[in-house]
Amino acid sequence: MGRRGPIAVLILAIASLMPAAAAGVSMYNIEGYAAASVTGGGYIAESDAKYRRVTTPAGFIAALRAARTSSSTPVKVIEIANDLDMGWNEVDDAARADGLLRQNKAPKKHPSLIASGVSLLDVTNFNGLTIYSKNGAVLRHVELNIKSGTNLVLRNLRFDELWEWDEGTHGDYDSNDWDFVTLGDGGGVTSGIWIDHCSFSKAYDGVLDIKKGANNITVSWIETLPPASGPGSFVARQFDYLEANRAANAMYDFLRGFFTKQQIIDISLPQKKGHLIGSNDLEGISSYTVTLHHNHYRDLQDRMPRLRGGDVHAYNLYVDSSNARIMKATRDAVVQANPALRAKVEGSSPTYKFDVVLNGSVSTEGGAVQVERSLFWGVFTPLRNNQTDPNDSRYTGAIRAFGVRHVLFASDTNYMPVSSQQATFVDRGIVWASWEGNSGAAGSTLGPAQAAQVPFVWRNGAPSYPMTLHGVDELGNLRASMGAGKVSMTAQQWMRVVN
């Protein structure tokens, strides 16, 4: 492909902040692996006893209790009508009554989370259930643990405030294990799940994890975004606490000897982990079937997804880690200028982990990941096939891409040689370069290059389901419809999987 000149307009299109018009709602019909079996609760009139509109944590939990298959007339649709603060210390005794809501691992460093507590809410024993919001309501301080059920729709919800600074494991984020949503953890078959038009902020661990062989999953039209960090925000309250208590926080205090408070905030904002599919190393489950499509991942550092066995089909992903790439450059410049800092945060076994990782989609342990017509901006390695031991083929997966655009600093020649730079443009005072094509094409910068490639074989048969593919140049505008509160639809349209 010859040089096309600046493409900034194509990938930086400023989309309207107003909700998209309802006339095109058929574009948001269910697609992917979930399409074969997922209906959720279907359309239920709001006056029907099977429809439950909730306004409190206790009301939400009561509705989940009534939605279990053991109920004589189970609830089929739960509308969350307003924001819910669901931390363990925020809910009343009625919300804790029967163990569906449990106390999660206790916060250690965030003063707001220490006050609110963190909860784990089991969504379990369902068969045909829709949980949605008309207006993009927020769930805070809670992890949804969706397990032992089938045929669930989760739409138009926001998830927020489930992160804190990690002094305990020195930035490894390997203690609290808070994910916004987990599928299949804790027993029972979990299949037929559609998660659509949801928004996720920064979590301590992952955004959405899939475990124990959960299958026929579609995650569509979602967004992951860095949290607000201005004065008084959830993030600001964490760093105000750290700043006032530096002597009690050795890692933060050490970093403040080299970085400003604002630099630490900016480098910390990108979410570390997206979607982990598979519970444990070499668990040997190959039944995972997951579709990711029309998702906006902004400043997400890794796992779009990371697969341990099974099949993932990803298309029309808008991965914009451009700001994370800039923050990585800021971090690296300070580290290189300070040998004492470099000794603590670089190398194979650093004392403190304070960096920005720039990975994309990852296939490991015999999995198969196919990525189509997607953008990876600011990501060093869009495709990876091993993250454990490149010399051990048990940890290697198959991954390939078609029609994918890769954008990096023009100076990132270790990942995008000058000979592969098909176009350049200037944005935020930086010269960016791009390559576009298939992973196997000459000059491809997509990867994988971590381990010897293995033949691509779908573990559960090639995907055959409804799908709508847009061109990469269309994704910038479509971004306005990715996430909660972005699309105007009627209650009936939200409840239906096909309009």
Side-chain angles (χ1 to χ4, degrees), residues 26-27 158 167 179 216 271 298 378 473 482:
S26 62
M27 183 165 64
R158 303 175 192 268
E167 281 284 330
D179 305 313
N216 292 332
Q271 166 67 17
R298 197 173 92 196
D473 290 337
M482 299 175 188

Side-chain angles (χ1 to χ4, degrees), residues 384-396 449-452:
R384 296 182 66 92
N385 66 355
N386 194 302
Q387 281 191 311
T388 303
D389 183 354
N391 297 313
D392 188 338
S393 62
R394 295 178 302 165
Y395 292 102
T396 300
Q450 296 73 40

